[in-house]
Amino acid sequence: MKSDKFLEELTMTLRTTLAATAAASALTVAGAAYADGHGPMRIGITQNNVGVDSYQTTYEKAFIAAAEANENVEVVVLDAGGDVARQIAQMEDLIQQEVDAIIIWPTNGEAVIPAVRKAHSAGIPVVVTNSNIAEAGFEFVATFSGPDNITQGSRSAEIMCDRFKALGIENEARVVQISGQPGYTTAIERQQGFDDRLPEVCPNVTLVETQPGDWNREKSQQVMEAFLVKYDDIDGVYAGDDNMGVGALNAALAADRAEGITFVGATNFAVGYEAMERGEYWGSIYQSPVDDAEAALQSAIDLINGEELPFLNYFDTPKITQDNMTEFTKPVF
């Protein structure tokens, strides 16, 4: 039994420390021990690439805040920096640490499967967060917590089609698409949802070309600059998230061609919301990184406590356009 003094000190100091690991430096948030004398649940998370966009940055802050608020939880917070090899090393390190559960935001849905299988074999439940791994690895995953990205892509196509119909150009409109990071499940699924749904709702709209923007605003601006040079007639731009969508918008504004182009994204960022307020950007899909982070942590806690969870544990992501945006709070990321 731990002493009362030890428990009191541990309870009083929800401390945030940097812990060096074999894979990378990790942020460890320690919670108080259980009241019954058992140590706190130890949950490890390896993220995709925190520095790449404000959604992932906000997710990490929300995740740490949720862990700090729970006295029975200690988390080891790792970031792969977009590097698959680093993420695999981080997974192996968390397995060696014998954490009670692992949350992974995959850098690549295929490449991480062996590491996820290894955690499963070690008896450590794995929560996949935000972007699922490839189907071949599903049997090694306890639950997926995040958005339904295929539905998001489908809803973006519906937003685009509805706008074209309102403008009377649904029989002639031409669309270009800026997708996310190649090999990344969210990018694949959002593109799939859009590609499959658009011809169902607007069969005469032409999807001219798709190029990756890698979730990066500057890269997406360059992709859009190339589209504008290549195509005289662009009526719509679909981007896999608003960060890329605003990059495309910036290119069109700089070329004096934004007027007459319908911009639709996903994962409504603050910059997308602001562009919608200005009337420059038409619509997106509303998704909260805070909800995302809290849902992942709660899923891990529930699994450790022996609860049964559905394999696909989605939270809702509704459509947002200039017409209904006042119903939604401006994103903080």
Side-chain angles (χ1 to χ4, degrees):
M1 246 347 226
K2 290 184 171 66
S3 71
D4 289 343
K5 184 171 183 297
F6 175 82
L7 285 170
E8 187 180 352
E9 287 174 358
L10 206 51
T11 304
M12 287 174 64
T13 50
L14 286 167
R15 61 194 184 279
T16 303
T17 60
L18 280 175
T21 72
S25 61
L27 190 61
T28 303
V29 179
Y34 281 123
D36 64 2
H38 294 297
M41 304 177 192
R42 297 197 69 238
I43 300 169
I45 181 170
T46 168
Q47 298 164 100
N48 170 41
N49 194 352
V50 172
V52 75
D53 63 46
S54 47
Y55 185 96
Q56 295 195 49
T57 307
T58 305
Y59 176 107
E60 183 181 74
K61 287 177 183 172
F63 184 87
I64 291 168
E68 286 180 329
N70 190 326
E71 65 178 14
N72 295 323
V73 170
E74 176 184 303
V75 291
V76 181
V77 180
L78 298 163
D79 175 36
D83 185 328
V84 175
R86 185 187 298 175
Q87 185 160 63
I88 291 167
Q90 289 175 348
M91 285 288 292
E92 290 175 349
D93 184 65
L94 291 170
I95 294 165
Q96 287 175 356
Q97 289 190 45
E98 297 182 344
V99 295
D100 298 307
I102 294 174
I103 301 168
I104 180 171
W105 185 330
T107 51
N108 182 295
E110 289 276 359
V112 300
I113 291 174
V116 172
R117 183 174 62 230
K118 194 176 286 188
H120 176 76
S121 298
I124 300 172
V126 176
V127 177
V128 179
T129 184
N130 185 271
S131 178
N132 215 337
I133 65 171
E135 195 172 340
F138 284 2
E139 64 185 292
F140 312 119
V141 174
T143 191
F144 167 77
S145 171
D148 183 343
N149 289 299
I150 292 175
T151 295
Q152 286 200 15
S154 298
R155 288 177 176 176
S156 293
E158 291 165 4
I159 291 170
M160 182 81 77
C161 181
D162 288 345
R163 182 61 176 162
F164 288 158
K165 286 177 178 175
L167 296 171
I169 60 170
E170 72 273 17
N171 290 321
E172 60 198 38
R174 290 160 57 85
V175 175
V176 293
Q177 178 175 196
I178 301 176
S179 58
Q181 188 178 326
Y184 188 69
T185 307
T186 296
I188 294 165
E189 290 182 343
R190 285 190 192 156
Q191 180 177 343
Q192 179 188 335
F194 186 84
D195 290 353
D196 290 350
R197 187 63 175 149
L198 188 63
E200 292 175 353
V201 289
C202 268
N204 296 323
V205 168
T206 305
L207 177 57
V208 181
E209 188 175 346
T210 299
Q211 290 292 337
D214 297 349
W215 310 123
N216 183 280
R217 196 181 308 173
E218 290 72 26
K219 168 85 181 284
S220 301
Q221 184 166 339
Q222 292 164 7
V223 169
M224 186 62 185
E225 286 167 357
F227 282 155
L228 291 166
V229 170
K230 195 172 178 181
Y231 304 111
D232 292 331
D233 184 14
I234 297 174
D235 300 293
V237 176
Y238 168 58
D241 73 15
D242 279 3
N243 201 40
M244 298 190 297
V246 169
L249 171 65
N250 290 341
L253 287 168
D256 199 24
R257 287 187 51 192
E259 196 172 342
I261 297 179
T262 296
F263 292 87
V264 175
T267 314
N268 188 220
F269 287 43
V271 289
Y273 192 94
E274 289 162 1
M276 287 166 64
E277 282 182 318
R278 296 193 302 268
E280 296 171 343
Y281 196 87
W282 178 248
S284 187
I285 305 297
Y286 197 82
Q287 179 180 317
S288 165
V290 176
D291 291 350
D292 206 353
E294 291 177 353
L297 182 64
Q298 189 59 51
S299 293
I301 291 168
D302 290 346
L303 289 169
I304 294 167
N305 285 331
E307 293 185 29
E308 290 285 328
L309 296 179
F311 175 65
L312 295 172
N313 205 7
Y314 294 135
F315 60 87
D316 192 34
T317 50
K319 298 175 187 177
I320 178 172
T321 69
Q322 288 180 30
D323 287 341
N324 72 343
M325 63 184 295
T326 55
E327 299 170 19
F328 296 88
T329 305
K330 180 181 170 181
V332 296
F333 57 95

